[in-house]
C-alpha cells in the first residue's frame, strides 16, 4: 500500500510539472518511474541494509518513488518550497529525503506532526500541537510560486491538519495540498473542512489496486468547496496507469477567470463617492453609484459573477478589537459572512491579521476639516493697518519732533539775537497737523528748521501713503480668523473650545490610538474619551453636519472631504493646507481567498488604464452643477459698493472722539466747580491766598 501511494503521488506531480499538461489529451497514460530515476534510486536505497524479504523490498521501492517524486517537483522550480507532512504510515522518510537533498542540493522540509511509535517501538519526535505546521505556513516564501505540502497521514491526522489550518486562518491562495488517503469515506469527510481558498489534490483508494483522483472545486450556485473526481489511477501487470479528464493541478487564475455567473456577497457602507447605497423597502440595500461600485461592476463583467450588498449592523468600517472580536465590514469578511468588502477601506497591518487585501487601487491623504474662518470685525480697521510696534514708533516720533524743533528755534535765536518765531505748543501742533494733513505747510526762516521740516514732511508723506493704501485694501478685502491648517494647530484649537473628531472604529481612529509618541499621540489625547459620541461618529456625514452647528475639527480622507464639502456648501468649510498619513485603499477578502490573485491582476489593469481617476471625475461632476454657495455668493461677481460694513471703522473713530470730548467736558466742569469757590475767596481776601495772585 505504501509503495502504491508513492507511485500515485509521483503520478500526480508528474502531470503537474511536465509542460503541456493542461489538456487531458496531452496527459501521459503510462508511467514507469524506474526508467527515469535509476541513479537517484540507487543513491537513496544504499541507506537501507540489503534484505531479501518482501517487506524490505517494498520499503525500498517506496523510497525510490519518494526520491523520484521530489526530483519531479523540483524540475521547473529554481527555489521551491517543499514540505512533507507524515505520521507513521511511512517509515524511513527522513533517510530518503536526506539522500535526496545530498544528491540534488535542493531542500525539502520534513514535518512529523503526530506522536506515536515507530516500527521498533521507540517514541517518535512528532508534535500533536501542530506548531511546526504553523511556522511552515507563515514562513515567508523564497520565490513567487506555490508552497507545496505533501500529506501522507491517516484520515484522522489529515483532518486534524485541515481543522488546524481553518481555526488559525492559515489558508493562502499560494498554497497547494497533495493528499493521499486510503479510507473510502475521505472525500465526504474532508470537503467539510475545506474553505473556498483550499487548493487540494486528493487520491483516495477505492480498491486495493485502484485510486480515485480528485481536485477541489467550488459550486457556482452555492459557493461551497467540494471534491470532484477527475480520473483514476490503477496498478496493473504492466505498471501504474492513469486516466484523467482534467489536470490534477490547474492554475487558480484559470479557475477564477470565469466564475460561472455565481453570486458573491459584498460588504459595504453608504459612503458616496466610493459606495453609494439605496435602502430597499424590505430593509436591505442595493448599489447606487460610486467609484467602488464601478470597480465591482467591471470585475463582475470580466470575471462573470454577480454580487449582492450587505451592511454591518454597527455601520462601521471596523477591525480587530482588544477583546478578540472583529467589528464592522472587516468583521463580516473575517467571519466569512461575506466574500469581500470594498468601501474606501484603508489597508492596515492590524486588519491584515484577519483578512487578505488586494493590491491598492487608490492612494490619498488625510486632511482636517473645520468651519470656515469667520470674518474679522472692521470696527478697528483704522488701527489694523499698522502693527502695535509701528503705532508706538509713530506716536513717539510725533511727540518728540515738536520739542526738538522748538529747541532748535531757541538755539538759533541765541546766535541771531532774535526772539523765537513760534513757541513749543505751536510747533507741536503743526508737527501733528502735518502728519494727518498734507496741506499743512510752515515756512521757516532758517536752514536748520527747513532741513528738519523737510525730513518730517517726507516722513509724513510716506506714512500717509502707506496708511491710506493699506486702509483701502483692508476695507475692500475682508480679513478672516486664522484657520486650522495642520496637526500642530489642534492643541490651540482644543484650548479654544474645539472638539477633535473622526469616524469611529476606522483606520483614522486606529493611527492615533496606537501611536506611542509624537504628534499622533498628542492628538489622541485631545479626543473626548469621556463622551465618545462627541468625538467619534458612525459616518463622515455626521461629522460634516456637526461642523455647521458646533466647534469641531473632523479628521477625514481628502477626497471624501472635498465631495461632502461641495454637497453642503464649500464656503462653509475649511480644509487644512497640510495633509498627512498617505493611505491606500484595497478590497478586503477572506483569508486564503482563491480569487485574490485574479482580482489583483484585474485591479492592476484598471488602475493602469486610468479608469479609477475617470470614475472619480464622473462622480464629482454630479455635484458640479449645484449652487456653489448657500450665502448667495458667486465667483463671477466684481467689486461691491462701499457699505456701512466697510466704513464702520470711521464712524467708530467719530463716536470715540465724541465720547472722549464729552468725558473731557465733564472733567472740566467738575474741576471748575471745585476750584471756582476758592478763586472767589482768594480775590475777596488776598492775604489768605495760598499762592501768589499771578498763579
Amino acid at each position: 500500500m505504501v509503495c502504491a501511494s508513492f507511485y500515485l503521488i509521483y503520478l500526480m506531480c508528474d502531470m503537474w510539472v511536465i509542460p503541456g499538461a493542461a489538456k487531458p489529451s496531452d496527459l501521459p497514460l503510462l508511467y514507469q518511474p524506474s526508467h527515469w530515476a535509476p541513479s537517484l534510486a540507487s543513491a537513496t536505497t544504499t541507506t537501507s541494509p540489503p534484505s531479501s524479504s518482501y517487506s524490505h523490498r517494498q520499503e525500498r521501492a517506496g523510497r525510490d518513488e519518494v526520491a523520484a517524486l521530489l526530483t519531479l517537483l523540483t524540475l521547473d522550480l529554481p527555489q521551491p518550497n517543499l514540505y512533507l507532512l507524515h505520521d507513521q504510515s511511512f517509515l524511513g522518510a527522513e533517510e530518503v529525503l536526506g539522500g535526496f537533498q545530498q544528491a540534488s542540493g535542493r531542500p525539502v522540509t520534513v514535518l512529523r506532526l503526530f506522536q506515536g511509535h515507530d516500527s521498533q517501538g521507540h517514541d517518535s519526535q512528532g508534535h500533536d500541537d501542530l506548531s511546526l505546521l504553523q511556522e511552515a505556513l507563515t514562513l515567508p516564501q523564497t520565490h513567487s510560486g506555490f508552497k507545496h505540502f505533501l500529506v501522507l497521514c491517516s484520515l484522522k491526522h489529515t483532518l486534524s491538519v485541515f481543522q488546524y489550518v481553518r481555526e488559525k486562518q492559515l489558508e493562502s491562495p499560494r498554497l497547494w495540498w497533495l493528499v493521499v488517503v486510503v479510507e473510502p469515506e475521505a472525500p465526504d469527510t474532508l470537503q467539510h473542512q475545506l474553505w473556498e481558498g483550499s487548493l487540494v489534490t486528493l487520491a483516495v483508494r477505492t480498491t486495493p489496486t485502484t485510486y480515485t483522483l480528485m481536485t477541489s472545486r467550488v459550486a457556482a450556485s452555492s459557493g461551497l468547496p467540494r471534491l470532484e473526481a477527475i480520473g483514476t489511477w490503477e496498478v496493473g501487470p504492466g505498471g501504474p496507469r492513469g486516466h484523467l479528464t482534467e489536470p490534477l493541478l490547474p492554475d487558480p487564475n484559470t479557475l477564477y477567470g470565469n466564475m460561472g455567473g455565481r453570486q458573491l456577497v459584498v460588504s459595504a457602507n453608504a459612503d458616496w463617492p466610493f459606495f453609494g447605497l439605496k435602502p430597499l423597502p424590505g430593509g436591505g440595500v442595493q448599489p447606487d453609484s460610486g467609484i467602488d461600485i464601478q470597480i465591482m461592476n467591471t470585475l463582475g463583467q470580466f470575471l462573470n459573477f454577480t454580487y449582492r450588498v450587505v451592511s454591518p449592523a454597527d455601520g462601521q468600517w471596523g477591525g480587530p478589537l482588544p477583546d478578540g472580536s472583529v467589528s464592522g465590514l472587516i468583521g463580516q469578511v473575517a467571519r466569512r459572512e461575506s466574500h469581500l468588502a470594498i468601501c474606501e477601506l484603508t489597508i492596515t497591518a492590524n486588519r491584515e491579521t484577519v483578512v487578505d487585501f488586494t493590491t491598492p487601487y487608490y492612494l490619498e491623504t488625510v486632511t482636517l476639516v473645520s468651519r470656515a474662518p469667520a470674518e474679522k470685525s472692521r470696527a478697528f480697521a483704522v488701527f489694523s493697518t499698522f502693527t502695535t510696534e509701528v503705532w508706538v514708533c509713530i506716536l513717539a516720533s510725533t511727540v518728540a519732533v515738536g520739542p526738538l524743533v522748538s529747541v532748535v528755534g531757541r538755539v538759533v535765536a541765541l546766535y541771531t539775537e532774535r526772539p523765537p518765531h513760534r513757541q513749543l505748543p505751536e510747533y507741536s501742533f503743526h508737527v501733528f497737523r502735518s502728519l494727518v494733513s498734507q496741506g499743512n505747510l510752515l515756512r521757516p526762516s532758517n536752514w536748520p528748521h527747513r532741513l528738519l521740516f523737510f525730513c518730517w514732511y517726507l516722513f509724513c508723506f510716506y506714512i500717509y501713503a502707506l496708511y491710506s493704501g493699506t486702509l483701502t485694501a483692508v476695507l475692500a478685502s475682508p480679513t478672516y480668523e486664522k484657520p486650522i491648517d495642520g496637526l500642530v494647530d489642534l492643541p490651540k484649537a482644543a484650548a479654544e473650545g474645539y472638539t477633535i473628531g473622526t469616524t469611529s472604529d476606522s483606520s483614522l481612529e486606529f493611527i492615533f490610538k496606537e501611536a506611542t509618541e509624537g504628534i499622533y499621540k498628542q492628538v489622541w489625547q485631545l479626543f473626548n474619551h469621556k463622551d465618545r459620541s462627541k468625538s467619534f461618529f458612525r459616518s463622515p456625514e455626521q461629522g460634516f453636519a456637526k461642523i455647521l452647528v458646533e466647534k469641531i475639527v473632523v479628521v477625514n480622507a481628502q477626497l471624501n472631504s472635498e465631495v461632502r464639502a461641495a454637497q453642503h456648501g464649500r464656503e462653509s468649510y475649511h480644509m487644512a493646507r497640510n495633509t498627512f498619513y498617505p493611505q491606500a485603499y484595497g478590497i478586503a477578502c477572506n483569508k486564503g481567498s482563491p480569487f485574490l490573485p485574479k482580482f489583483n491582476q484585474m485591479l492592476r489593469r484598471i488602475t493602469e488604464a486610468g479608469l479609477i481617476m475617470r470614475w472619480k471625475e464622473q462622480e464629482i461632476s454630479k455635484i458640479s452643477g449645484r449652487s456653489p454657495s448657500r450665502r448667495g455668493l458667486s465667483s463671477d461677481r466684481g467689486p461691491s459698493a462701499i457699505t456701512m460694513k466697510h466704513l464702520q471703522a470711521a464712524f467708530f473713530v467719530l463716536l470715540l472722539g465724541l465720547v472722549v470730548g464729552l468725558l473731557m467736558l465733564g472733567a472740566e466742569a467738575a474741576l471748575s466747580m471745585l476750584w471756582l469757590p476758592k478763586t472767589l475767596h482768594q480775590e475777596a481776601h488776598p492775604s489768605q491766598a495760598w499762592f501768589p495772585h499771578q498763579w
Side-chain angles (χ1 to χ4, degrees), residues 170-489:
L170 300 174
E171 198 63 86
S172 169
R174 311 303 295 177
L175 176 64
W176 208 296
W177 301 90
L178 304 172
V179 182
V180 178
V181 292
V182 297
E183 292 84 348
E185 69 276 12
D188 294 334
T189 306
L190 182 59
Q191 69 182 3
H192 294 297
Q193 299 298 328
L194 302 182
W195 276 343
E196 182 178 357
S198 302
L199 302 178
V200 178
T201 298
L202 173 67
V204 56
R205 189 177 67 171
T206 54
T207 69
T209 59
T210 306
Y211 281 79
T212 299
L213 307 179
M214 313 181 76
T215 57
S216 57
R217 294 287 189 271
V218 175
S221 58
S222 63
L224 298 176
R226 62 185 182 184
L227 293 169
E228 294 184 353
I230 61 170
T232 60
W233 182 83
E234 59 182 355
V235 180
R241 181 180 298 272
H243 302 275
L244 299 177
T245 58
E246 296 180 17
L248 281 172
L249 301 178
D251 184 5
N253 285 338
T254 303
L255 292 177
Y256 290 91
N258 186 341
M259 301 176 69
R262 62 176 295 194
Q263 186 182 70
L264 300 182
V265 181
V266 177
S267 293
N269 287 326
D271 184 44
W272 190 82
F274 282 92
F275 212 110
L277 294 176
K278 281 184 178 180
L280 296 175
V285 292
Q286 70 176 14
D288 184 13
S289 66
I291 299 173
D292 290 343
I293 293 178
Q294 294 275 25
I295 293 175
M296 288 305 304
N297 291 341
T298 302
L299 293 176
Q301 178 183 356
F302 283 91
L303 301 182
N304 190 18
F305 69 84
T306 61
Y307 66 93
R308 64 180 178 90
V309 181
V310 296
S311 294
D314 56 14
Q316 299 174 352
W317 277 249
L321 300 178
D323 61 359
S325 62
V326 188
S327 62
L329 301 174
I330 300 297
Q332 287 187 312
V333 178
R335 293 187 297 271
R336 298 185 176 263
E337 298 171 3
S338 61
H339 295 92
L340 58 94
I342 175 172
C343 184
E344 197 179 3
L345 272 174
T346 303
I347 302 174
T348 65
N350 188 41
R351 289 172 174 173
E352 285 186 311
T353 60
V354 293
V355 298
D356 287 339
F357 277 98
T358 62
T359 56
Y361 63 85
Y362 191 83
L363 303 175
E364 72 169 339
T365 55
V366 179
T367 188
L368 304 176
V369 187
S370 57
R371 186 186 308 174
E375 184 178 345
K376 289 184 177 180
S377 174
R378 301 184 187 184
F380 297 92
V382 292
F383 304 110
S384 64
T385 54
F386 296 143
T387 63
T388 304
E389 182 182 5
V390 173
W391 281 117
V392 171
C393 292
I394 293 175
L395 178 63
S397 300
T398 305
V399 173
V401 170
L404 177 61
V405 174
S406 177
V407 170
V408 171
R410 291 184 178 275
V411 172
V412 171
L414 290 177
Y415 68 81
T416 58
E417 297 180 354
R418 295 179 181 180
H421 187 66
R422 292 180 176 82
Q423 299 299 321
L424 174 62
E426 189 176 1
Y427 277 124
S428 297
F429 175 75
H430 278 284
V431 167
F432 171 74
R433 185 178 179 184
S434 299
L435 182 65
V436 298
S437 176
Q438 290 182 312
N440 184 65
L441 179 64
L442 290 180
R443 299 182 182 276
S445 58
N446 53 77
W447 280 102
H449 273 165
R450 291 175 182 174
L451 293 175
L452 285 175
F453 276 103
F454 172 78
C455 295
W456 179 249
Y457 290 153
L458 186 62
F459 171 79
C460 292
F461 173 78
Y462 188 69
I463 294 297
Y464 182 83
L466 291 178
Y467 180 81
S468 59
T470 306
L471 181 61
T472 302
V474 169
L475 293 178
S477 300
T479 57
Y480 297 90
E481 299 174 349
K482 184 179 179 181
I484 301 172
D485 276 331
L487 293 177
V488 294
D489 297 332

Side-chain angles (χ1 to χ4, degrees), residues 582-600:
Q583 57 185 0
Y585 299 151
I587 302 177
C589 302
N590 303 138
K591 272 291 186 180
S593 175
F595 44 78
L596 186 64
K598 194 63 180 181
F599 273 25
N600 287 337

Side-chain angles (χ1 to χ4, degrees), residues 540-557:
E541 183 66 27
Q542 295 181 359
F544 273 75
K546 286 186 175 183
I547 292 177
L548 299 178
V549 296
E550 61 183 84
K551 299 177 69 174
I552 186 172
V553 182
V554 175
V555 183
N556 196 40

Side-chain angles (χ1 to χ4, degrees), residues 97-148:
L97 293 173
F100 168 80
Q101 296 184 51
Q102 182 178 4
S104 64
R106 298 182 178 184
V108 178
T109 304
V110 180
L111 302 179
R112 300 184 66 183
L113 302 176
F114 301 97
Q115 293 181 356
H117 301 277
D118 57 22
S119 59
Q120 285 77 30
H122 301 114
D123 291 339
S124 66
Q125 301 300 318
H127 297 270
D128 283 337
D129 60 2
L130 301 180
S131 58
L132 292 179
L133 176 60
Q134 182 174 4
E135 294 178 7
L137 291 171
T138 57
L139 188 69
Q141 293 180 231
T142 57
H143 66 98
S144 59
F146 287 89
K147 284 184 178 179
H148 305 89

Side-chain angles (χ1 to χ4, degrees), residues 646-665:
H646 298 90
L647 295 179
Q648 60 179 321
F651 287 96
F652 175 78
V653 173
L654 177 61
L655 179 62
L656 181 63
L658 293 176
V659 171
V660 172
L662 291 176
L663 292 176
M664 292 299 297
L665 177 61

